[in-house]
PDB file of all heavy atoms in Angstrom:
ATOM      1  N   VAL A 150     106.196  96.758 112.480  1.00 91.00           N
ATOM      2  CA  VAL A 150     106.188  97.631 111.476  1.00 91.00           C
ATOM      3  C   VAL A 150     107.173  97.211 110.390  1.00 91.00           C
ATOM      4  O   VAL A 150     108.242  96.846 110.615  1.00 91.00           O
ATOM      5  CB  VAL A 150     106.605  99.159 111.926  1.00 91.00           C
ATOM      6  CG1 VAL A 150     106.812  99.992 110.840  1.00 91.00           C
ATOM      7  CG2 VAL A 150     105.397  99.688 112.856  1.00 91.00           C
ATOM      8  N   VAL A 151     106.750  97.322 109.108  1.00 93.00           N
ATOM      9  CA  VAL A 151     107.643  97.241 107.935  1.00 93.00           C
ATOM     10  C   VAL A 151     107.543  98.569 107.177  1.00 93.00           C
ATOM     11  O   VAL A 151     106.502  99.109 106.849  1.00 93.00           O
ATOM     12  CB  VAL A 151     107.121  96.054 107.058  1.00 93.00           C
ATOM     13  CG1 VAL A 151     108.051  96.187 105.687  1.00 93.00           C
ATOM     14  CG2 VAL A 151     107.330  94.704 107.678  1.00 93.00           C
ATOM     15  N   ALA A 152     108.676  99.144 107.083  1.00 92.00           N
ATOM     16  CA  ALA A 152     108.761 100.557 106.389  1.00 92.00           C
ATOM     17  C   ALA A 152     109.340 100.333 105.068  1.00 92.00           C
ATOM     18  O   ALA A 152     110.568 100.009 104.864  1.00 92.00           O
ATOM     19  CB  ALA A 152     109.561 101.356 107.251  1.00 92.00           C
ATOM     20  N   ARG A 158     114.418 104.047 111.268  1.00 82.00           N
ATOM     21  CA  ARG A 158     114.713 104.048 112.587  1.00 82.00           C
ATOM     22  C   ARG A 158     115.514 102.646 113.040  1.00 82.00           C
ATOM     23  O   ARG A 158     115.308 101.726 112.313  1.00 82.00           O
ATOM     24  CB  ARG A 158     113.480 104.129 113.539  1.00 82.00           C
ATOM     25  CG  ARG A 158     112.864 105.581 113.823  1.00 82.00           C
ATOM     26  CD  ARG A 158     113.066 105.997 115.127  1.00 82.00           C
ATOM     27  NE  ARG A 158     112.394 105.150 116.071  1.00 82.00           N
ATOM     28  CZ  ARG A 158     111.362 105.530 116.749  1.00 82.00           C
ATOM     29  NH1 ARG A 158     110.695 106.644 116.418  1.00 82.00           N
ATOM     30  NH2 ARG A 158     110.750 104.602 117.532  1.00 82.00           N
ATOM     31  N   ASP A 159     116.342 102.695 114.091  1.00 81.00           N
ATOM     32  CA  ASP A 159     117.104 101.543 114.347  1.00 81.00           C
ATOM     33  C   ASP A 159     116.259 100.319 114.732  1.00 81.00           C
ATOM     34  O   ASP A 159     116.513  99.161 114.578  1.00 81.00           O
ATOM     35  CB  ASP A 159     118.097 101.752 115.462  1.00 81.00           C
ATOM     36  CG  ASP A 159     119.258 102.578 115.099  1.00 81.00           C
ATOM     37  OD1 ASP A 159     119.389 102.745 113.770  1.00 81.00           O
ATOM     38  OD2 ASP A 159     119.845 103.307 115.983  1.00 81.00           O
ATOM     39  N   ASP A 160     114.917 100.557 115.333  1.00 82.00           N
ATOM     40  CA  ASP A 160     114.148  99.594 115.659  1.00 82.00           C
ATOM     41  C   ASP A 160     112.990  99.131 114.706  1.00 82.00           C
ATOM     42  O   ASP A 160     111.989  98.578 115.021  1.00 82.00           O
ATOM     43  CB  ASP A 160     113.493 100.086 117.106  1.00 82.00           C
ATOM     44  CG  ASP A 160     112.759 101.441 117.006  1.00 82.00           C
ATOM     45  OD1 ASP A 160     113.023 102.021 115.994  1.00 82.00           O
ATOM     46  OD2 ASP A 160     112.045 101.750 118.028  1.00 82.00           O
ATOM     47  N   VAL A 161     113.205  99.569 113.553  1.00 88.00           N
ATOM     48  CA  VAL A 161     112.207  99.355 112.506  1.00 88.00           C
ATOM     49  C   VAL A 161     112.822  98.555 111.257  1.00 88.00           C
ATOM     50  O   VAL A 161     113.991  99.031 110.837  1.00 88.00           O
ATOM     51  CB  VAL A 161     111.533 100.719 112.043  1.00 88.00           C
ATOM     52  CG1 VAL A 161     110.634 100.511 110.854  1.00 88.00           C
ATOM     53  CG2 VAL A 161     110.785 101.333 113.053  1.00 88.00           C
ATOM     54  N   VAL A 162     112.152  97.635 110.749  1.00 91.00           N
ATOM     55  CA  VAL A 162     112.691  96.957 109.519  1.00 91.00           C
ATOM     56  C   VAL A 162     112.391  97.737 108.324  1.00 91.00           C
ATOM     57  O   VAL A 162     111.196  98.228 108.103  1.00 91.00           O
ATOM     58  CB  VAL A 162     111.885  95.613 109.410  1.00 91.00           C
ATOM     59  CG1 VAL A 162     112.331  94.907 108.048  1.00 91.00           C
ATOM     60  CG2 VAL A 162     112.244  94.672 110.590  1.00 91.00           C
ATOM     61  N   VAL A 163     113.287  98.173 107.599  1.00 93.00           N
ATOM     62  CA  VAL A 163     113.251  99.073 106.425  1.00 93.00           C
ATOM     63  C   VAL A 163     113.569  98.295 105.052  1.00 93.00           C
ATOM     64  O   VAL A 163     114.599  97.728 105.062  1.00 93.00           O
ATOM     65  CB  VAL A 163     114.015 100.255 106.560  1.00 93.00           C
ATOM     66  CG1 VAL A 163     114.012 101.176 105.360  1.00 93.00           C
ATOM     67  CG2 VAL A 163     113.766 101.044 107.882  1.00 93.00           C
ATOM     68  N   LEU A 164     112.735  98.429 104.146  1.00 94.00           N
ATOM     69  CA  LEU A 164     112.993  97.914 102.874  1.00 94.00           C
ATOM     70  C   LEU A 164     113.148  99.087 101.960  1.00 94.00           C
ATOM     71  O   LEU A 164     112.149  99.829 101.689  1.00 94.00           O
ATOM     72  CB  LEU A 164     111.701  97.051 102.315  1.00 94.00           C
ATOM     73  CG  LEU A 164     111.810  96.597 100.883  1.00 94.00           C
ATOM     74  CD1 LEU A 164     113.034  95.721 100.613  1.00 94.00           C
ATOM     75  CD2 LEU A 164     110.554  95.777 100.598  1.00 94.00           C
ATOM     76  N   GLY A 165     114.214  99.235 101.415  1.00 94.00           N
ATOM     77  CA  GLY A 165     114.523 100.473 100.620  1.00 94.00           C
ATOM     78  C   GLY A 165     115.260 100.049  99.297  1.00 94.00           C
ATOM     79  O   GLY A 165     115.505  98.993  98.888  1.00 94.00           O
ATOM     80  N   MET A 317     108.480  91.680  98.285  1.00 95.00           N
ATOM     81  CA  MET A 317     109.497  91.513  99.429  1.00 95.00           C
ATOM     82  C   MET A 317     108.840  92.088 100.652  1.00 95.00           C
ATOM     83  O   MET A 317     109.066  91.519 101.729  1.00 95.00           O
ATOM     84  CB  MET A 317     110.775  92.113  99.077  1.00 95.00           C
ATOM     85  CG  MET A 317     111.863  91.886 100.121  1.00 95.00           C
ATOM     86  SD  MET A 317     113.466  92.212  99.650  1.00 95.00           S
ATOM     87  CE  MET A 317     113.836  90.882  98.575  1.00 95.00           C
ATOM     88  N   ALA A 318     108.181  93.212 100.570  1.00 93.00           N
ATOM     89  CA  ALA A 318     107.554  93.672 101.757  1.00 93.00           C
ATOM     90  C   ALA A 318     106.460  92.722 102.320  1.00 93.00           C
ATOM     91  O   ALA A 318     106.378  92.499 103.520  1.00 93.00           O
ATOM     92  CB  ALA A 318     106.757  95.006 101.480  1.00 93.00           C
ATOM     93  N   ARG A 320     106.661  89.464 101.945  1.00 93.00           N
ATOM     94  CA  ARG A 320     107.456  88.347 102.588  1.00 93.00           C
ATOM     95  C   ARG A 320     107.906  88.641 103.932  1.00 93.00           C
ATOM     96  O   ARG A 320     107.978  87.709 104.753  1.00 93.00           O
ATOM     97  CB  ARG A 320     108.598  87.825 101.556  1.00 93.00           C
ATOM     98  CG  ARG A 320     108.137  87.171 100.301  1.00 93.00           C
ATOM     99  CD  ARG A 320     109.265  86.483  99.667  1.00 93.00           C
ATOM    100  NE  ARG A 320     110.080  87.438  99.056  1.00 93.00           N
ATOM    101  CZ  ARG A 320     109.950  87.911  97.707  1.00 93.00           C
ATOM    102  NH1 ARG A 320     109.012  87.606  97.074  1.00 93.00           N
ATOM    103  NH2 ARG A 320     110.946  88.715  97.248  1.00 93.00           N
ATOM    104  N   MET A 321     108.244  89.907 104.088  1.00 94.00           N
ATOM    105  CA  MET A 321     108.603  90.373 105.395  1.00 94.00           C
ATOM    106  C   MET A 321     107.507  90.222 106.415  1.00 94.00           C
ATOM    107  O   MET A 321     107.782  89.919 107.654  1.00 94.00           O
ATOM    108  CB  MET A 321     109.137  91.852 105.417  1.00 94.00           C
ATOM    109  CG  MET A 321     110.518  91.943 104.660  1.00 94.00           C
ATOM    110  SD  MET A 321     111.009  93.718 104.689  1.00 94.00           S
ATOM    111  CE  MET A 321     112.775  93.617 104.346  1.00 94.00           C
ATOM    112  N   VAL A 322     106.317  90.644 106.053  1.00 92.00           N
ATOM    113  CA  VAL A 322     105.129  90.407 106.839  1.00 92.00           C
ATOM    114  C   VAL A 322     104.944  88.956 107.124  1.00 92.00           C
ATOM    115  O   VAL A 322     104.575  88.633 108.360  1.00 92.00           O
ATOM    116  CB  VAL A 322     103.863  90.980 106.135  1.00 92.00           C
ATOM    117  CG1 VAL A 322     102.657  90.611 106.900  1.00 92.00           C
ATOM    118  CG2 VAL A 322     103.957  92.501 105.931  1.00 92.00           C
ATOM    119  N   ASP A 324     107.181  86.645 107.426  1.00 92.00           N
ATOM    120  CA  ASP A 324     108.159  86.257 108.368  1.00 92.00           C
ATOM    121  C   ASP A 324     107.847  86.703 109.768  1.00 92.00           C
ATOM    122  O   ASP A 324     107.858  85.948 110.755  1.00 92.00           O
ATOM    123  CB  ASP A 324     109.538  86.933 108.019  1.00 92.00           C
ATOM    124  CG  ASP A 324     110.129  86.169 106.864  1.00 92.00           C
ATOM    125  OD1 ASP A 324     109.741  84.983 106.527  1.00 92.00           O
ATOM    126  OD2 ASP A 324     111.064  86.702 106.293  1.00 92.00           O
ATOM    127  N   ILE A 325     107.215  88.007 109.876  1.00 91.00           N
ATOM    128  CA  ILE A 325     106.892  88.523 111.164  1.00 91.00           C
ATOM    129  C   ILE A 325     105.714  87.721 111.757  1.00 91.00           C
ATOM    130  O   ILE A 325     105.742  87.280 113.037  1.00 91.00           O
ATOM    131  CB  ILE A 325     106.442  90.006 110.959  1.00 91.00           C
ATOM    132  CG1 ILE A 325     107.731  90.785 110.792  1.00 91.00           C
ATOM    133  CG2 ILE A 325     105.825  90.457 112.223  1.00 91.00           C
ATOM    134  CD1 ILE A 325     107.333  92.290 110.416  1.00 91.00           C
ATOM    135  N   ARG A 329     109.343  85.096 112.912  1.00 91.00           N
ATOM    136  CA  ARG A 329     110.781  85.379 112.356  1.00 91.00           C
ATOM    137  C   ARG A 329     111.038  86.874 112.150  1.00 91.00           C
ATOM    138  O   ARG A 329     110.193  87.567 111.647  1.00 91.00           O
ATOM    139  CB  ARG A 329     110.985  84.638 111.101  1.00 91.00           C
ATOM    140  CG  ARG A 329     110.785  82.899 111.179  1.00 91.00           C
ATOM    141  CD  ARG A 329     111.188  82.289 109.894  1.00 91.00           C
ATOM    142  NE  ARG A 329     110.331  82.763 108.737  1.00 91.00           N
ATOM    143  CZ  ARG A 329     109.336  82.172 108.293  1.00 91.00           C
ATOM    144  NH1 ARG A 329     108.893  81.067 109.081  1.00 91.00           N
ATOM    145  NH2 ARG A 329     108.626  82.486 107.293  1.00 91.00           N
ATOM    146  N   LYS A 330     112.121  87.263 112.588  1.00 90.00           N
ATOM    147  CA  LYS A 330     112.451  88.732 112.413  1.00 90.00           C
ATOM    148  C   LYS A 330     113.236  88.942 111.074  1.00 90.00           C
ATOM    149  O   LYS A 330     114.379  88.551 110.974  1.00 90.00           O
ATOM    150  CB  LYS A 330     113.269  89.273 113.619  1.00 90.00           C
ATOM    151  CG  LYS A 330     113.461  90.719 113.457  1.00 90.00           C
ATOM    152  CD  LYS A 330     114.270  91.275 114.712  1.00 90.00           C
ATOM    153  CE  LYS A 330     114.415  92.875 114.662  1.00 90.00           C
ATOM    154  NZ  LYS A 330     115.144  93.275 115.858  1.00 90.00           N
ATOM    155  N   PRO A 331     112.547  89.622 110.127  1.00 93.00           N
ATOM    156  CA  PRO A 331     113.366  89.948 108.924  1.00 93.00           C
ATOM    157  C   PRO A 331     114.355  91.015 109.025  1.00 93.00           C
ATOM    158  O   PRO A 331     114.268  91.798 110.048  1.00 93.00           O
ATOM    159  CB  PRO A 331     112.231  90.409 107.968  1.00 93.00           C
ATOM    160  CG  PRO A 331     111.175  90.970 108.808  1.00 93.00           C
ATOM    161  CD  PRO A 331     111.220  90.179 110.072  1.00 93.00           C
ATOM    162  N   SER A 332     115.349  91.088 108.196  1.00 93.00           N
ATOM    163  CA  SER A 332     116.360  92.138 108.207  1.00 93.00           C
ATOM    164  C   SER A 332     116.026  93.257 107.263  1.00 93.00           C
ATOM    165  O   SER A 332     115.411  93.021 106.257  1.00 93.00           O
ATOM    166  CB  SER A 332     117.821  91.487 107.881  1.00 93.00           C
ATOM    167  OG  SER A 332     118.226  90.431 108.802  1.00 93.00           O
ATOM    168  N   SER A 333     116.585  94.437 107.661  1.00 94.00           N
ATOM    169  CA  SER A 333     116.333  95.587 106.798  1.00 94.00           C
ATOM    170  C   SER A 333     117.182  95.203 105.395  1.00 94.00           C
ATOM    171  O   SER A 333     118.280  94.601 105.435  1.00 94.00           O
ATOM    172  CB  SER A 333     116.948  96.874 107.388  1.00 94.00           C
ATOM    173  OG  SER A 333     116.114  97.267 108.426  1.00 94.00           O
ATOM    174  N   THR A 334     116.593  95.607 104.237  1.00 95.00           N
ATOM    175  CA  THR A 334     117.196  95.205 102.931  1.00 95.00           C
ATOM    176  C   THR A 334     117.144  96.501 102.073  1.00 95.00           C
ATOM    177  O   THR A 334     116.247  97.337 102.031  1.00 95.00           O
ATOM    178  CB  THR A 334     116.362  94.141 102.409  1.00 95.00           C
ATOM    179  OG1 THR A 334     116.291  92.988 103.234  1.00 95.00           O
ATOM    180  CG2 THR A 334     116.965  93.705 101.007  1.00 95.00           C
ATOM    181  N   GLN A 335     118.296  96.654 101.269  1.00 95.00           N
ATOM    182  CA  GLN A 335     118.225  97.612 100.194  1.00 95.00           C
ATOM    183  C   GLN A 335     118.350  96.978  98.869  1.00 95.00           C
ATOM    184  O   GLN A 335     119.312  96.198  98.542  1.00 95.00           O
ATOM    185  CB  GLN A 335     119.446  98.550 100.493  1.00 95.00           C
ATOM    186  CG  GLN A 335     119.592  99.724  99.435  1.00 95.00           C
ATOM    187  CD  GLN A 335     120.710 100.667  99.670  1.00 95.00           C
ATOM    188  OE1 GLN A 335     121.849 100.342  99.125  1.00 95.00           O
ATOM    189  NE2 GLN A 335     120.511 101.764 100.349  1.00 95.00           N
ATOM    190  N   LEU A 336     117.458  97.308  98.046  1.00 94.00           N
ATOM    191  CA  LEU A 336     117.426  96.777  96.757  1.00 94.00           C
ATOM    192  C   LEU A 336     118.212  97.485  95.712  1.00 94.00           C
ATOM    193  O   LEU A 336     118.252  98.752  95.866  1.00 94.00           O
ATOM    194  CB  LEU A 336     115.986  96.588  96.130  1.00 94.00           C
ATOM    195  CG  LEU A 336     115.033  95.640  97.099  1.00 94.00           C
ATOM    196  CD1 LEU A 336     113.546  95.760  96.497  1.00 94.00           C
ATOM    197  CD2 LEU A 336     115.507  94.271  97.101  1.00 94.00           C
TER     198      LEU A 336
END
Side-chain angles (χ1 to χ4, degrees):
V150 170
V151 173
R158 281 252 299 258
D159 292 340
D160 51 353
V161 173
V162 176
V163 179
L164 172 61
M317 182 164 288
R320 290 194 287 272
M321 287 179 165
V322 171
D324 284 345
I325 289 173
R329 299 186 296 265
K330 185 177 180 180
S332 300
S333 292
T334 303
Q335 184 181 85
L336 299 175

